[in-house]
Amino acid sequence: MGDFCLHGKFVIDGYPLTRKHADLLESNKIIPVKIFEFDVDTKEVFRRALLDKESTNRPPYPEHDSQQILAIKNSCYKEHIDDIRTYYMKEHQNWCVIDANHSKWKVWNTVLQEVQMVVKQTQIYLERKKEGKAASIAYLGVTPKELQDHLGECGQYCPVSLAEKGELNDCSVTPSLEFAAEFQGRYYKMASREELEKFLSRPEVYVSSLASHPLPPPHMLPKKLTAAEALFPVKAEMQGYCPVTYLDGKQRYEALVPGNIEYAAKYQDKVYIFESEEKLQKFMRLPEKYWNLKLPHKLPPKKEPMLLTTLPLAGYLEQGVATSLIKALHEVGSLKPKFPFLSVKETALLFVSFHLKAHNPRSSEPVRQMYRKKLLEFVEHCQLIPYLGTAMGPYKEPRDRPLGLDDRLQMFFSLKGTRPTFV
């Protein structure tokens, strides 16, 4: 890991190693312009260290690159790197991960390009600010607090989208400052590169009294809601139909589509729900266009849930037990069981009954386990007939009979007059 500091023009190698080190740098007003993390496999680190040891161009002084020291340094790196990376990416957005498995020349060129880009952007910023122009603040390490403290009159809404299209394009959804700029000591965030270029060329058109669409006061801005907030305490407008789908569909009957409670917003003290995230975002940008629609007199019939028990028998079986029943019938058709002294029909009905109880998802696991044992026992008894039919032949003395034949034959006759039970 290496840090590049612009003002002092120096490079810090392998520092900070912990979050405390980062805090010490910050307390001394040392903020690296760019931090490079070299992402390389641990095995490759040890392999390269071994090659360095075998090199004839070793420096005259001892280096701390033994296997033990490298293992300790690598362990410390893995322990603290996530915390340090998260801090710098959140506070200064100056972290850059480089694949160091490439050659040192490839790594060097990547670092050089990044540094040159940062230096160039910084010089452009200083020149434009000196001339009183708007300047991009990307790569300057502006913290979220600094951004918030110096926001212009548009807050984090894109002033270009607001002025040109009347759209409330909320840029706070991303912390990136790639499309942010400073003008007259205030910060502004734009929605895209195109909007940023327009702002940089003519900022006064978008942030002064010349702006055609000033930002509404906070209580007039749309607010996204969670599903819980949308359910309580205000009832959704338009009876829950999506206003964006309805208006974009030219207010046709077919465009009356129910909204999803997961996509909800509040505007003018009214709650709206939308068909999708795309429709919600469209409303958030142009609430004035969609908020005050009137429903037609004729509405689609409401799709109310129907109780399973109110369905006719065929529908009840289809919706309730169709899957389980199909599996049971498939099993009985494949096995073709025959219980001793019972008809084929009665055997099949008993098998299906045991199978349904053994795989009933509404039963507890112990109950299902009990019926699985009963099903296995039932199948075992059904297998007596094909076994005896194969094993029995002309009379043989007991000593000459197959092992287990007498026991199974006795079990077969013991089943006469009995019937499997579910208890």
Side-chain angles (χ1 to χ4, degrees), residues 232-250:
F232 182 84
V234 184
K235 185 178 179 180
E237 294 295 313
M238 292 189 64
Q239 298 187 29
Y241 291 105
C242 176
V244 177
T245 305
Y246 181 53
L247 185 61
D248 289 354
K250 299 181 180 179

Side-chain angles (χ1 to χ4, degrees), residues 19 99 102 131 156 185 204 216 249 265 303 327 356 381:
R19 176 58 193 280
D99 184 0
H102 297 296
E131 296 171 0
Q156 295 210 39
E204 63 281 347
K303 298 179 181 179
K327 288 181 179 179
L356 290 174
H381 288 162

Side-chain angles (χ1 to χ4, degrees), residues 122-192:
T122 304
Q123 290 174 339
I124 292 174
Y125 166 80
L126 294 173
E127 290 172 2
R128 293 184 67 88
K129 186 176 179 181
K130 183 179 179 181
E131 296 171 0
K133 298 178 180 179
S136 170
I137 60 172
Y139 315 111
L140 296 185
V142 175
T143 67
K145 185 178 184 307
E146 290 171 341
L147 175 70
Q148 194 64 39
D149 291 343
H150 295 85
L151 279 175
E153 59 271 26
C154 291
Q156 295 210 39
Y157 288 91
C158 176
V160 180
S161 298
L162 189 61
E164 293 189 345
K165 308 173 190 175
E167 290 188 2
L168 294 168
N169 210 327
D170 188 3
C171 301
S172 65
V173 294
T174 172
S176 174
L177 298 179
E178 182 181 359
F179 307 130
E182 179 184 341
F183 181 60
Q184 297 179 348
R186 311 302 291 177
Y187 292 153
Y188 302 89
K189 291 182 73 175
M190 269 54 72
S192 68

Side-chain angles (χ1 to χ4, degrees), residues 15-26 80 83-84:
Y15 191 91
L17 288 175
T18 66
R19 176 58 193 280
K20 185 176 180 181
H21 292 166
D23 293 339
L24 286 171
L25 288 175
E26 197 94 4
H80 297 286
D83 192 21
I84 302 172

Side-chain angles (χ1 to χ4, degrees), residues 219-416:
H219 68 278
M220 294 289 288
L221 295 173
K223 176 189 175 186
K224 289 180 68 173
L225 300 177
T226 63
E229 290 172 330
L231 286 171
F232 182 84
V234 184
K235 185 178 179 180
E237 294 295 313
M238 292 189 64
Q239 298 187 29
Y241 291 105
C242 176
V244 177
T245 305
Y246 181 53
L247 185 61
D248 289 354
K250 299 181 180 179
Q251 298 181 317
R252 296 192 304 266
Y253 178 82
E254 305 82 51
L256 287 168
V257 178
N260 186 330
I261 199 67
E262 296 294 328
Y263 312 112
K266 187 175 183 180
Y267 181 67
Q268 301 275 21
D269 291 326
K270 295 181 179 181
V271 173
Y272 299 87
I273 57 177
F274 306 91
E275 180 185 4
S276 63
E277 177 68 24
E278 178 188 356
K279 302 297 175 66
L280 169 60
Q281 292 302 328
K282 204 166 187 179
F283 180 88
M284 296 295 288
R285 291 194 299 271
L286 293 166
E288 196 65 27
K289 178 180 178 180
Y290 298 103
W291 81 285
N292 203 20
L293 302 178
K294 301 296 182 184
L295 287 173
H297 295 294
K298 183 182 178 182
L299 298 175
K302 292 186 177 180
K303 298 179 181 179
E304 296 180 352
M306 182 178 291
L307 294 176
L308 190 63
T309 53
T310 62
L311 295 173
L313 180 59
Y316 175 84
L317 291 174
E318 179 184 0
Q319 297 297 322
V321 297
T323 303
S324 300
L325 194 56
I326 289 172
K327 288 181 179 179
L329 293 175
H330 181 268
E331 289 286 337
V332 75
S334 301
L335 187 63
K336 296 181 176 60
K338 172 67 171 69
F339 196 86
F341 306 104
L342 293 182
S343 67
V344 172
K345 179 180 179 180
E346 192 171 6
T347 299
L349 290 173
L350 285 169
F351 179 90
V352 169
S353 301
F354 279 121
H355 194 282
L356 290 174
K357 285 183 172 292
H359 299 87
N360 184 358
R362 295 193 174 186
S363 297
S364 63
E365 180 57 32
V367 172
R368 290 198 299 269
Q369 184 68 26
M370 178 184 71
Y371 281 108
R372 279 197 288 268
K373 290 181 180 178
K374 287 182 176 290
L375 178 62
L376 290 173
E377 183 181 358
F378 182 83
V379 171
E380 183 181 349
H381 288 162
C382 290
Q383 291 172 345
L384 288 172
I385 294 178
Y387 169 78
L388 294 174
T390 303
M392 293 180 66
Y395 176 80
K396 295 180 180 180
E397 293 294 331
R399 64 177 179 274
D400 298 327
R401 296 171 187 172
L403 184 66
L405 175 62
D406 290 343
D407 293 337
R408 295 191 182 185
L409 187 62
Q410 185 177 358
M411 180 186 295
F412 175 81
F413 285 113
S414 69
L415 295 174
K416 187 175 184 180

